[in-house]
Amino acid sequence: VASPKPRPAASSSPAGEDRAIGRLTQIMGRAAGPRPAGDLWIGDDAAVVDAAGQRLVLATDAAVAGVHADLAVVGLDDLGWKGLTAAVSDLGAMGAVPRWALVTFGLPPRTDLDRLAGGVAEASVAWACPVVGGDLTTADQVVVSVSVVGLLDGPRPAVTRAGAVGGDTLVVTGPLGASAAGLRWLRAGVSDGPLVSAHRRPPARLAAGQVARAADATAMIDVSDGFSLDLHRLADASGVGFVLDDLPVAEGATTDDALGGGEDYELIIATGDPDALAAALAAAGLPAPFVLGRCVDDPAVRRLGRDDLPRLGWEHPIG
Ligand SMILES: [Mg+2]
């Protein structure tokens, strides 16, 4: 979770960061010229490009001290872990297998580089994604920028945010809100426990993403900026609405943590065959997904129970 309180973007339309991404898509698209058929560029969790017949999945993510980590309560190693984990999570949300990482460190004077790099290295082992290069620069704040390259196993397309249709079931791979609750505990002086671990060392649901792709998931996104905001993004991209019946709140977390806290890195998955998805996850030894509700044809319908679901989450105030 961002160290300032997540800014609830409680409107019904994209704002701030999402508008800035729209402008970037135009500027970069004009410069790049026509996009090759089959490529997927800016706008999803990761890009998919064809490199001489091999599909590569590309993502990048930055973790900045004071924005993505409060160094008063978490270590530089935790910031490093988060930088690499957030990047590979975006590959997982396409169903891709992470393969290589490049890491740029921006460092103020006297930063403990060993500790920062140690956290990145731990994550690279956990997610089997070695760091093969990078760069070092001075900066006013500690910045960890991680670019990752992944591969798609077999001929199926990547799972984008855009494939959900009315009638699809929406599931999430695990309970939500633990990271935000963990930050609160850390600030209250608690230094261990599952919520604190969830904040300091969030997971990436790589195996679940790969299984979901193999089981014909129609759309997928990872919960980074906030469950509600990220679900709205999936619905926007797919042109659908949704009706949620229930929400899995992590033990010790609040509903607000679950809706808008972010950085849980669970996957929201849309599927036309929830039984097949659940069976595939079980066969892979993964936890049963939590059924949230369903997609509906009308994109204006965005409900949790009887209430409209606002876009709660962290949007960087850019643009
Ligand atoms: Mg993402």
Side-chain angles (χ1 to χ4, degrees):
V1 79
S3 109
K5 182 78 184 133
R7 198 168 68 106
S11 72
S12 58
S13 60
E17 184 181 352
D18 285 350
R19 269 208 312 272
I21 291 171
R23 294 213 320 274
L24 286 172
T25 305
Q26 287 188 336
I27 294 166
M28 300 306 174
R30 274 198 300 271
R35 176 168 50 87
D39 274 17
L40 181 68
W41 289 0
I42 299 171
D44 216 291
D45 286 281
V48 182
V49 298
D50 183 277
Q54 172 70 63
R55 287 172 303 163
L56 303 179
V57 186
L58 313 174
T60 191
D61 213 275
V64 180
V67 178
H68 301 91
D70 180 351
L71 292 181
V73 295
V74 304
L76 280 169
D77 50 338
D78 300 324
L79 179 64
W81 170 282
K82 187 180 284 188
L84 193 127
T85 298
V88 297
S89 176
D90 278 329
L91 298 184
M94 310 298 286
V97 183
R99 290 296 299 272
W100 305 281
L102 298 167
V103 179
T104 294
F105 293 114
L107 305 174
R110 291 180 296 283
T111 302
D112 185 346
L113 176 62
D114 287 7
R115 188 162 177 199
L116 178 63
V120 174
E122 281 183 74
S124 78
V125 171
W127 314 126
C129 186
V131 176
V132 298
D135 193 20
L136 280 171
T137 177
T138 55
D140 293 337
Q141 300 290 339
V142 177
V143 178
V144 180
S145 173
V146 181
S147 299
V148 286
V149 179
L151 299 176
L152 290 166
D153 188 25
R156 284 169 201 275
V159 184
T160 71
R161 301 175 180 183
V165 296
D168 280 357
T169 298
L170 285 165
V171 306
V172 66
T173 49
L176 301 162
S179 177
L183 176 58
R184 209 162 43 242
W185 282 110
L186 280 162
R187 286 177 170 161
V190 177
S191 59
D192 57 15
L195 295 174
V196 165
S197 295
H199 183 74
R200 293 180 58 227
R201 299 298 174 107
R205 300 302 184 201
L206 302 176
Q210 292 155 22
V211 167
R213 172 171 168 261
D216 293 322
T218 55
M220 190 151 59
I221 189 169
D222 66 329
V223 176
S224 53
D225 293 333
F227 166 81
S228 166
L229 182 56
D230 290 320
L231 175 59
H232 275 283
R233 287 169 170 160
L234 183 151
D236 293 343
S238 292
V240 298
F242 54 77
V243 176
L244 307 186
D245 307 312
D246 206 354
L247 191 73
V249 180
E251 195 173 339
T254 67
T255 301
D256 281 353
D257 294 333
L259 285 174
E263 295 195 341
D264 290 309
Y265 299 106
E266 300 293 347
L267 297 173
I268 303 169
I269 305 169
T271 172
D273 192 343
D275 293 339
L277 175 63
L281 290 166
L286 297 167
F290 184 93
V291 177
L292 296 160
R294 66 188 194 283
C295 299
V296 297
D297 289 325
D298 183 350
V301 173
R302 309 277 176 106
R303 291 209 310 262
L304 170 58
R306 293 180 183 173
D307 301 323
D308 288 338
L309 183 66
R311 292 173 182 263
L312 293 172
W314 174 258
E315 286 198 286
H316 298 276
I318 296 166

